[in-house]
Amino acid sequence: MRDLDSDTRDTEAVDLGALAGSLGFLLRLSQLVSFRDFYDDLGGFGIRPGEISALFVIADNPGIRQGVVARHLMIKRAHMAKMVRAMESDGLVSRSVPADDRRAVELKLTDSGRARVATLSEPFRRHEARPVPGLTRRDEAELKRLLRKYLSLPEPEGRP
Amino acid sequence: MRDLDSDTRDTEAVDLGALAGSLGFLLRLSQLVSFRDFYDDLGGFGIRPGEISALFVIADNPGIRQGVVARHLMIKRAHMAKMVRAMESDGLVSRSVPADDRRAVELKLTDSGRARVATLSEPFRRHEARPVPGLTRRDEAELKRLLRKYLSLPEPEGRP
DNA sequence: TATTGTTATACTCTATAACTATA
DNA sequence: TATAGTTATAGAGTATAACAATA
């Protein structure tokens, strides 16, 4: 889980050419690095990035429709259906059909789901609070700001 | 290929809570967006991000060992073996065992592989030259700089 | 007609381990 | 013993299409 099979030791110098200037390439590698860090810190809880995202969003938005979760997390609806089913059979979320649109499904955490989020919140907070290797705090804040801008996400409270 | 199944239209406002401050979450979403853009521009060539990366690296570093490519592209060795095999049977790369280490495999492009790279280079360059929606040119340069710093990649020539 | 969620299928990527042949 | 590559297997994630129920 923590072995990326890529000894990080610098072997031969490699010319990445045009790749070094490619946003997509840099994002792909960065995501792999950050997922490795995620598993290093939180792998012991048996949680995966997709799951924790969905759990946290449902926790913060009780009664949210599963399609809305999927849209905001950029998860395919077909995949979301499976994930929700798994979380339901794990007893973490409950599904209910709203009266005003009987096609939809609204999601809430069960007591068990809330307990799970409570268990994960502090380790997740600590994970996120850790300094990012190689980046200053300013770098880190700026990187997150630019990624949010790229994603058209609003800046959290505070600085305008 | 170009339909992410997530209508980008803003539906209900969703509180992303701690996720909005999570580097891993922001990187994951950003990578999905950039891959969608990649496919929009280059999907017609039947190429995938992993393949084009490997082809370009081999093109820029003829004779590179496949394990070295895997390390720098953060691709698992097991997956790399399959990918190289596929590229070989497509006639794009040739494999040769160096005399000084008969365990290793060195990779070069075939004429056909060079032709493929030539075909892809200009569309890829245009793709990368396109303004990134939502970001100014300064934003884009700064974002790439911070990602390279995060990845411990050297800055390309020019500004120190 | 369009939308929500579902199922089914296939493919990519990843993770792991066991294996070989070399070093 | 350790390394480079290979094979096999399993799983997660994703893409696609077709479907039922509802709007």
Side-chain angles (χ1 to χ4, degrees), chain B residues 41-90:
Chain B
D41 280 11
L42 302 169
F45 292 93
I47 190 79
R48 269 157 303 115
E51 274 178 35
I52 206 173
S53 304
L55 273 183
F56 280 22
V57 166
I58 299 169
D60 286 336
N61 304 270
I64 193 172
R65 292 188 188 181
Q66 82 175 46
V68 175
V69 177
R71 258 197 298 282
H72 285 262
L73 263 35
M74 291 192 203
I75 294 170
K76 286 269 182 184
R77 283 186 313 157
H79 182 38
M80 191 70 198
K82 277 206 300 187
M83 186 188 293
V84 167
R85 199 170 238 290
M87 293 194 299
E88 189 189 29
S89 74
D90 286 348

Side-chain angles (χ1 to χ4, degrees), chain A residues 13-144:
Chain A
V14 170
D15 180 8
L16 289 177
L19 262 25
S22 163
L23 182 58
F25 176 76
L26 295 170
L27 285 171
R28 183 177 116 71
L29 259 51
S30 296
Q31 201 221 359
L32 289 176
V33 169
S34 86
F35 270 37
R36 187 189 53 194
D37 288 349
F38 179 91
Y39 282 117
D40 283 348
D41 280 11
L42 302 169
F45 292 94
I47 190 80
R48 269 156 303 116
E51 273 178 36
I52 206 172
S53 304
L55 273 183
F56 280 22
V57 166
I58 298 170
D60 286 336
N61 304 269
I64 193 172
R65 293 189 187 179
Q66 83 175 46
V68 176
V69 177
R71 259 197 297 281
H72 285 262
L73 262 35
M74 291 192 203
I75 294 169
K76 285 271 181 184
R77 284 187 313 158
H79 181 37
M80 192 70 198
K82 278 205 300 186
M83 186 188 292
V84 167
R85 199 169 238 290
M87 293 195 299
E88 190 189 29
S89 74
D90 286 349
L92 299 175
V93 306
S94 63
R95 299 156 12 105
S96 63
V97 174
D100 63 308
D101 185 346
R102 313 235 344 268
R103 296 169 305 179
V105 172
E106 293 181 347
L107 304 175
K108 288 183 181 168
L109 294 187
T110 61
D111 288 346
S112 187
R114 271 184 291 273
R116 183 96 173 111
V117 167
T119 300
L120 292 169
S121 287
E122 184 53 21
F124 181 76
R125 196 199 58 73
R126 271 200 303 271
H127 168 71
E128 291 298 332
R130 276 193 359 186
V132 176
L135 297 185
T136 68
R137 287 299 188 180
R138 272 197 107 250
D139 286 340
E140 184 184 342
E142 178 70 355
L143 176 54
K144 288 176 183 175

